Amino acid sequence: MGGVRELAASFVAPGLCGVAVRDRLKHLTPEDEGVLRAVGAYQGALASGDLKVRCTEGLEHGADTWAVRKRELTALSSSRIAGAITKATHDQWALARRCQAAHIQNLATGIKTLRHRLSLPLGERGTKRAAGGYRSKGEWFRKSRRLATLEARHTAAVADWQAGRVRVVRGGKRLFNTRHHLTEARLTEEQWRQRWEAERWFLAADGESGKRFGNETIRVTPDGEVSIKLPAPLAHLANTRHGRYTLTARIAFAHRGAEWADRIEANRAVAYRIHLDTERGRWYLTASWQRPVVKTIPLETARARGMVGVDTNADHFAAYRLDRHGNPIGDPHRFGYDLSGTAGHRDAQIRHALTRLINWAVRAGVAAIGIEDLDFTTEKTREKHGGRKRFRQLISGMPTARLKARLVSMAAEQGLAIVAVDPAYTSLWGAQHWQKPLTAPRRKMSRHDAAGIAIGRRALGHPVRRRTAPPPHDRSDRAGHRTAQAESGNRGREGTRPPTTDRPPGGPLPSGKRKREPSASNTVRDAPSTHRWVQDSLVCTG
């Protein structure tokens, strides 16, 4: 195929398996906030100690050591709180291990790239597949030193991995390092301390099916009353029976409230988490539960009513609607967003753009959205794009993983499937085959709009190019249908011409048929092959 790599098959992305909703705890009294702070700090200290023990065990952890840890925490709190803390510890340790494995892989990729570029002559040009040599001896020397640094880091990371040793900071490494840069973060020491303590609190409880309202530790009734089971050392703070403290605040989930109420009334498991937003001074309650795994629809079913192809860019989604045969319909649509600013602002921008995209797809009547299965893991390293700093910042700022997760979950609520396709050559081939033919005085086609068509056609199982074969040698219709635009049974304008008349022998001409008889041909080219040409003798006389 001339260097073109093999494309991965398209697939329907699996649907969501969990739900989380959040509501604010309003009108809390100072006593309520004091109890929440005391419980969060006490259980947070238990969680920190348990995480330290788990990290010390490393690969020697087993069911016996887990049981010992849980028994020790039960004596200091309760059985359910101990179970929630140990589960959170296991999840955090497993996440650290996955991040450690990804870090080792990134180091190995950087080392491979550096070794390749160092082996090339100075100034050698690179290709689309691999970078070229370095530009000067000074750059070559600096990169050789960096290679030695990465190899040392890789050796240390592999040693930690083999020993089962991870490094975890409760509260976050970034917030921990902010303590040394308070001026740049525009924080005082007291503000940082409040945020640090709040991030290290532990106010969470896993649900349990069959128990009252699905959770015994943090219980929320259908009318919005919130009560907490206090740990044994803080039982004197209880204001109701059985060592529980009931908050004065009431919650009412505006989003998915009916689904949440159905679960708790059926005593099905619901997990809760209470946290404090120190910047706003607000308390929030988050409820989450699992959904049964829903089998994805077949790929052919997703393609039945056409597709919306979406090209993901740094500042907008470029979408184009296609019918089930791969024909573009209407004009391109663009849904912009701004990824600058805080993480909350970026997340809101992505959600708003996805909401508009999904609503338009629903109005268009399609059953699925085609999107690229993007992953810039190998492209973010500076060893490959060292001099292209703005390009690395561009691809690093695109939240591909979060975007895919949000798109799948939001589209599932509207009954839309997500078809993931291989992103290779979509922009190149889309611009080559679709940008110029669809450009019109009243329709401006960009490279990204053409890429949306390429993505949609690939999701539908069609080739990107507009024609699959060259024209027949004699430019007639006897070679059959020549385009990949329409269904094989609907030939349309490229089909054979209907007969000039369907009059039966001796009968009348059917209505709607052409009455004019075909005229005789005046040229040799149009004459039938059975006609014999005879020279007129009168022309040669005289």
Side-chain angles (χ1 to χ4, degrees), residues 323-327 462 481-495:
D323 63 14
R324 64 190 184 94
H325 309 304
N327 303 307
H462 300 311
H481 192 68
R482 293 184 286 109
T483 70
Q485 289 297 109
E487 190 179 13
S488 57
N490 183 17
R491 295 150 71 96
R493 300 178 66 180
E494 293 197 5

Side-chain angles (χ1 to χ4, degrees), residues 180-245:
H180 307 288
H181 307 279
L182 296 179
T183 304
E184 292 82 350
R186 298 180 181 180
L187 293 174
T188 63
E189 184 176 353
E190 183 180 359
Q191 291 174 338
W192 177 88
R193 180 67 59 183
Q194 293 177 355
R195 186 178 300 183
W196 174 253
E197 292 176 353
E199 290 293 334
R200 291 169 63 87
W201 288 344
F202 188 88
L203 276 169
D206 296 329
E208 188 176 359
S209 296
K211 298 299 180 180
R212 188 179 181 186
F213 302 130
N215 199 313
E216 284 287 346
T217 305
I218 301 178
R219 180 183 298 166
V220 183
T221 62
D223 59 354
E225 182 183 85
V226 182
S227 62
I228 303 174
K229 176 66 176 178
L230 299 177
L234 302 179
H236 61 280
L237 300 176
N239 59 1
T240 55
R241 297 183 301 170
H242 307 298
R244 305 189 68 88
Y245 185 89

Side-chain angles (χ1 to χ4, degrees), residues 496-502 513-514:
T496 55
R497 296 180 180 180
T500 56
T501 176
D502 292 333
K513 300 297 183 179
R514 199 167 60 176

Side-chain angles (χ1 to χ4, degrees), residues 401-451:
R402 178 172 296 183
L403 187 149
K404 287 186 289 186
R406 284 203 175 276
L407 180 58
V408 169
S409 61
M410 295 173 67
E413 296 302 316
Q414 299 294 335
L416 295 175
I418 302 300
V419 179
V421 304
D422 194 315
Y425 315 113
T426 53
S427 297
L428 178 65
W429 291 350
Q432 178 182 354
H433 297 289
W434 292 99
Q435 184 176 4
K436 184 177 180 179
L438 291 182
T439 301
R442 295 188 178 182
R443 182 196 294 127
K444 301 299 181 182
M445 286 287 296
S446 67
R447 184 183 182 92
H448 307 299
D449 300 327

